[in-house]
Amino acid sequence: MRKQIVTGMILLILLILPLLLYLQINQNFQVSVNNARESADHEETLLARLLSSEILRNRSTSNMEIRNTVQSIGKQYGYEQMQILFYKDRIPLNGVLSEETAFLLDKKERTSYLSDPEEALYIVHPLDEHYTLITRSDFSVFYQMLREQTAAGIRICIGGLVIAAVLSLLISGRITRRLRILSRSADAVRSGSAIHLEPSAKKDEIGKLTNTFIAMNDAIVQREENLREDARQRQALIDALAHEMRTPLTSIVSAARLIQKGGDMVQMREEMCDLIVKESQRLAEMDENLMKLTRMHTAELKTETFSLLEMAQEALAVTPDAVLTGEDSTVTADRDLIIHLMRNLVNNAAKSGTLTPVRVTLHPRGFSVSDEGRGMTPEEVSRCTEAFWKADPARTRASGGAGLGLTLCQNIARLHGTDLVIRSTPGKGTTVEFTLPLQSVEDSET
């Protein structure tokens, strides 16, 4: 790009500057020549009148007398830049034309001729059928001026080319330097390295390109960070899933082997079959919850406006021991997901070791689920929504959980543009609150 800019600038100077200088020099030359031509024309007119009055009135004047008269008039009026040539019947009486200008004697009318080789102006004036006056004015000074101006123009063109080349190198270097920085930054992004590019305060195209490139790089970095986090969470989920599946699968395999070796022990067979059924149900529940978690990332809310009280009554129909309080209100959300959310929270609270019924309290934009169970520490509260995380793995397994309930609930809440609020005190119980945001779900997702 830098070579193109320099070449373009030089070509532009070569096209414009010589043309402008040529036009200017030629105009100056033409103006000077025209002024001198007018002056020579005026002088020749005066000479023609004098010669006509002195010579033509006396036809018997000899050629010698005519020559003397012409020379006398030339000296008297003193035109230093003008040479007088006088012919009688094509015979020179005073001065001789050169071979290049001899054709002027054939002119029948007054005319002027500018001879470039001789750098002189000839004015041919036939006084009558015998006498012809020719004046030769020296224009060498104008041609000399033309040559000097042409030489000066060439020097100006050369200087202009040098200046244009230097300026174009400086300007293109300044422009391409920023582009080279962007190019190196692009290479760094391609190789995965960090870039060190400062935002540009300039409002030109390269400044805008720089800021756009920085924004693009930030987006790429954020996307890579999100992908790494997703990969980390996915690996953690796989590791936890493998760990969780090991226990029920081990129990099922051990029970099956005991049945094979148990002989006629009917009671043991029944216990082992119950264990197999229980662990199989646990695996099925784990699979169902995992499928829900997987689909939750691409789920689209099917929002509708409904009564919070009617929704809660339907959700708690499978857990009649739960206590429902609070006032009814109308909300807009995905009704099926909110039912699933409430049921999971109630089931999770019921497994907390509470000795009192689980309480569900309605409020204008949501609800809360409370228990008086064993509770959680602040560290446990911060991690309880992680997939497969359990404060007490042995106790949770005994209660049949897999550590996915609160993860599902948190994902449902985030789909609605909010988060679960969990307050817990060890030994006193836990309260989980779900509140829909003030704005509509469509605005939240947008």
Side-chain angles (χ1 to χ4, degrees):
M1 181 177 181
R2 191 174 187 182
K3 292 181 179 179
Q4 294 174 349
I5 293 176
V6 174
T7 304
M9 289 288 290
I10 292 176
L11 290 177
L12 187 64
I13 293 297
L14 285 175
L15 289 174
I16 295 178
L17 187 58
L19 178 61
L20 292 178
L21 289 175
Y22 169 77
L23 293 176
Q24 184 63 38
I25 293 172
N26 187 64
Q27 182 181 7
N28 293 338
F29 176 75
Q30 293 297 332
V31 170
S32 299
V33 168
N34 289 336
N35 292 335
R37 186 191 292 266
E38 292 179 0
S39 178
D41 187 75
H42 178 68
E43 294 170 356
E44 190 277 335
T45 301
L46 294 178
L47 284 174
R49 290 177 181 176
L50 290 173
L51 289 174
S52 296
S53 62
E54 291 292 333
I55 298 174
L56 297 183
R57 67 182 179 181
N58 189 1
R59 296 289 180 174
S60 61
T61 305
S62 64
N63 291 343
M64 181 61 67
E65 291 176 339
I66 293 174
R67 182 183 298 112
N68 292 334
T69 301
V70 171
Q71 292 177 355
S72 174
I73 292 176
K75 292 179 181 180
Q76 181 179 358
Y77 290 94
Y79 300 119
E80 297 180 357
Q81 303 297 327
M82 180 180 291
Q83 179 183 1
I84 301 174
L85 307 177
F86 201 75
Y87 282 77
K88 180 180 179 182
D89 297 327
R90 301 180 68 89
I91 298 173
L93 301 180
N94 185 56
V96 181
L97 289 173
S98 64
E99 294 181 359
E100 291 79 7
T101 57
F103 68 93
L104 294 175
L105 290 175
D106 298 328
K107 301 295 181 181
K108 303 300 181 180
E109 296 179 352
R110 187 176 184 275
T111 186
S112 61
Y113 169 72
L114 182 63
S115 175
D116 290 333
E118 296 184 12
E119 299 179 359
L121 174 68
Y122 288 89
I123 298 178
V124 181
H125 191 167
L127 301 180
D128 59 12
E129 64 275 9
H130 300 287
Y131 296 99
T132 301
L133 172 64
I134 300 176
T135 58
R136 181 183 183 279
S137 300
D138 186 10
F139 276 21
S140 60
V141 63
F142 304 115
Y143 282 91
Q144 180 63 26
M145 180 185 68
L146 177 62
R147 288 189 289 270
E148 292 176 354
Q149 289 183 350
T150 302
I154 294 174
R155 290 192 294 270
I156 291 174
C157 288
I158 295 174
L161 287 176
V162 174
I163 294 173
V166 173
L167 288 178
S168 58
L169 283 173
L170 294 176
I171 295 173
S172 61
R174 185 177 181 84
I175 294 174
T176 56
R177 181 178 63 84
R178 298 162 67 188
L179 293 178
R180 287 195 300 272
I181 294 174
L182 285 176
S183 179
R184 288 195 296 268
S185 300
D187 292 336
V189 172
R190 182 179 59 184
S191 62
S193 304
I195 66 170
H196 304 284
L197 195 61
E198 296 295 331
S200 177
K202 297 182 178 180
K203 302 300 182 181
D204 58 1
E205 286 75 8
I206 298 181
K208 293 178 181 178
L209 178 61
T210 301
N211 294 333
T212 302
F213 186 87
I214 293 174
M216 180 193 69
N217 179 71
D218 293 342
I220 292 175
V221 171
Q222 183 62 41
R223 188 177 303 168
E224 290 179 348
E225 184 64 28
N226 293 339
L227 290 174
R228 283 193 291 268
E229 181 62 22
D230 289 344
R232 185 192 67 78
Q233 293 179 358
R234 190 178 298 110
Q235 186 61 43
L237 183 64
I238 293 172
D239 294 342
L241 176 62
H243 178 75
E244 287 299 319
M245 290 181 65
R246 186 180 298 116
T247 300
L249 288 175
T250 301
S251 300
I252 291 172
V253 171
S254 300
R257 288 177 178 174
L258 286 174
I259 290 175
Q260 287 178 340
K261 298 178 181 180
D264 298 330
M265 298 175 63
V266 177
Q267 183 179 358
M268 184 193 70
R269 285 174 177 270
E270 291 179 354
E271 291 178 355
M272 293 300 101
C273 288
D274 290 340
L275 178 62
I276 290 174
V277 171
K278 181 181 178 181
E279 295 298 336
S280 298
Q281 289 176 346
R282 184 179 171 193
L283 285 174
E285 181 184 353
M286 189 184 305
D287 178 70
E288 181 183 359
N289 287 334
L290 281 172
M291 291 296 294
K292 289 178 181 178
L293 272 178
T294 303
R295 293 171 182 171
M296 200 73 70
H297 292 290
T298 58
E300 293 184 3
L301 294 180
K302 300 177 181 179
T303 58
E304 57 181 297
T305 302
F306 55 88
S307 166
L308 200 59
L309 178 59
E310 293 178 0
M311 181 277 301
Q313 290 173 344
E314 181 180 343
L316 299 178
V318 295
T319 53
D321 294 337
V323 178
L324 178 61
T325 60
E327 298 181 359
D328 188 20
S329 61
T330 301
V331 296
T332 300
D334 191 316
R335 193 172 187 274
D336 293 336
L337 288 180
I338 300 302
I339 290 175
H340 188 72
L341 168 65
M342 182 177 287
R343 286 178 178 175
N344 272 358
L345 292 178
V346 171
N347 289 334
N348 194 69
K351 297 173 183 178
S352 66
T354 180
L355 300 178
T356 59
V358 177
R359 298 185 308 277
V360 178
T361 305
L362 305 180
H363 55 77
R365 288 185 291 115
F367 58 87
S368 62
V369 178
S370 304
D371 65 73
E372 296 180 0
R374 58 185 64 90
M376 294 181 291
T377 64
E379 180 183 357
E380 293 170 344
V381 169
S382 65
R383 298 191 59 190
C384 65
T385 57
E386 296 180 10
F388 295 110
W389 185 88
K390 297 179 287 292
D392 187 348
R395 185 172 60 209
T396 306
R397 263 195 299 272
S399 63
L404 292 173
L406 280 178
T407 305
L408 279 170
C409 294
Q410 180 71 297
N411 284 358
I412 292 173
R414 287 178 176 172
L415 279 176
H416 286 81
T418 185
D419 283 308
L420 296 178
V421 178
I422 304 174
R423 295 184 292 271
S424 185
T425 303
K428 295 184 179 181
T430 303
T431 298
V432 181
E433 183 176 341
F434 169 75
T435 304
L436 288 167
L438 288 173
Q439 66 270 25
S440 65
V441 174
E442 290 79 8
D443 290 341
S444 173
E445 285 199 323
T446 301

